Amino acid sequence: MTTDLDQLNAQFAIPDRITFKAGAGDLPLAEIITDDGTRATVSLHGAHVLTYQPAGQAPVLWLSEHSRFEAGQAIRGGIPVIWPWFGPHPTDPTLPAHGLARTRLWQVLNTTVLFEDTFQLRLGLTNDTQTQVLWPHPFALEVVVTVGQMLAVELIAHNRAEVAVTCGAALHSYFTLSDIADVAVTGLEETAYLDKVDGGRRKMQAGPITFSQETDRIYLDTIADCLIVDPGLHRQIRVAKSGSHSTVVWNPWVEKSRRMADFGDGEYRTMVCVETTNAADDVVTVPPGGTHQLTTLILAEPLPAGES
Ligand code: BG6
């Protein structure tokens, strides 16, 4: 196992298609370019998809211009991998928000050419003395990133403990928008949610989600696809999922983005998070030797005729 770029390229590069490079902050990343010119980058720091841009389209994923790129720090944007707890730790507020996976250096396990101009990168993370301090159970995680006409990210969590272990998780996707004021998220109509900007009150979604203030909601008991409908970019982004019965929708709006050092003051206008989660009561108990898989599929589509 190595993060030396020469060794990574010797072992895992696919000529002209998958290359390992030094990214911002010298963090190693994989650059994937398909035959039709679709491009993606995946940082080994956090197994974090940073960018995904189908040929001829605006970037699908949003990445802050103010993100930190440093060992031990979370990257702001792309698809952070959240595990083994979502949000604050359930019992110990001194532990880092959103778990340990997004701030660790992952190993490359393999690269593969799939069918029809589609490429796959598999990364792994196992427990060590540092993770032990944050999470006392042995584990093996894999993240499988598939890049082609659509982007798929799978988080596969193997429980190597001798006891059942309960985990939260998320594929915390940030999406690029034309303007948050003009965008709607559909798919969660008539769905109950916990409103984190109103003391966690349980409410019911009426109609599509639109944005005019800080929005931080855990939608409950939903396996629905979401569509991020963006007339300004003449597209809709479909977010489909499995292994998840909750979906988080987040935009920090003005005040919260000002409080975040790694988030530009006006950047909230061009992003929204629609996250495939195991959040709130949707945590997953994995038996000894068992596995849980969380998957998100992301597809940018032209708007149906008459909607652009
Ligand atoms: C969202 C949470 O998933 O992530 C928000 O619902 C949180 O409450 C946001 O602010 C960003 O979290 P972090 O730890 O990356 O700043």
Side-chain angles (χ1 to χ4, degrees), residues 76 86 97-98 102 172 174 196 216 248 250 256 275:
R76 178 69 65 198
F86 177 85
H98 285 328
R102 65 176 175 167
H172 188 312
Y174 289 75
K196 290 174 73 177
D216 192 355
V248 169
W250 181 58
K256 183 157 179 171
E275 307 167 33

Side-chain angles (χ1 to χ4, degrees), residues 124-162:
L125 180 73
T126 51
N127 57 290
D128 59 23
T129 49
Q130 289 176 2
T131 64
Q132 197 76 20
V133 177
L134 301 167
W135 183 250
H137 310 289
F139 62 82
L141 301 181
E142 290 170 76
V143 163
V144 184
V145 180
T146 306
V147 177
Q149 299 289 312
M150 66 173 81
L151 173 70
V153 183
E154 298 157 71
L155 168 63
I156 305 160
H158 303 276
N159 178 10
R160 288 187 168 170
E162 286 169 5

Side-chain angles (χ1 to χ4, degrees), residues 242-255:
S242 65
S244 157
H245 289 82
S246 52
T247 296
V248 169
V249 177
W250 181 58
N251 182 290
W253 215 252
V254 178
E255 296 304 325

Side-chain angles (χ1 to χ4, degrees), residues 176-185 209-211 227-232 269 272:
T176 301
L177 307 180
S178 57
D179 189 328
I180 187 77
D182 301 331
V183 161
V185 175
I209 306 167
T210 54
F211 301 86
L227 284 180
I228 303 166
V229 182
D230 188 343
R269 293 208 74 92
V272 71

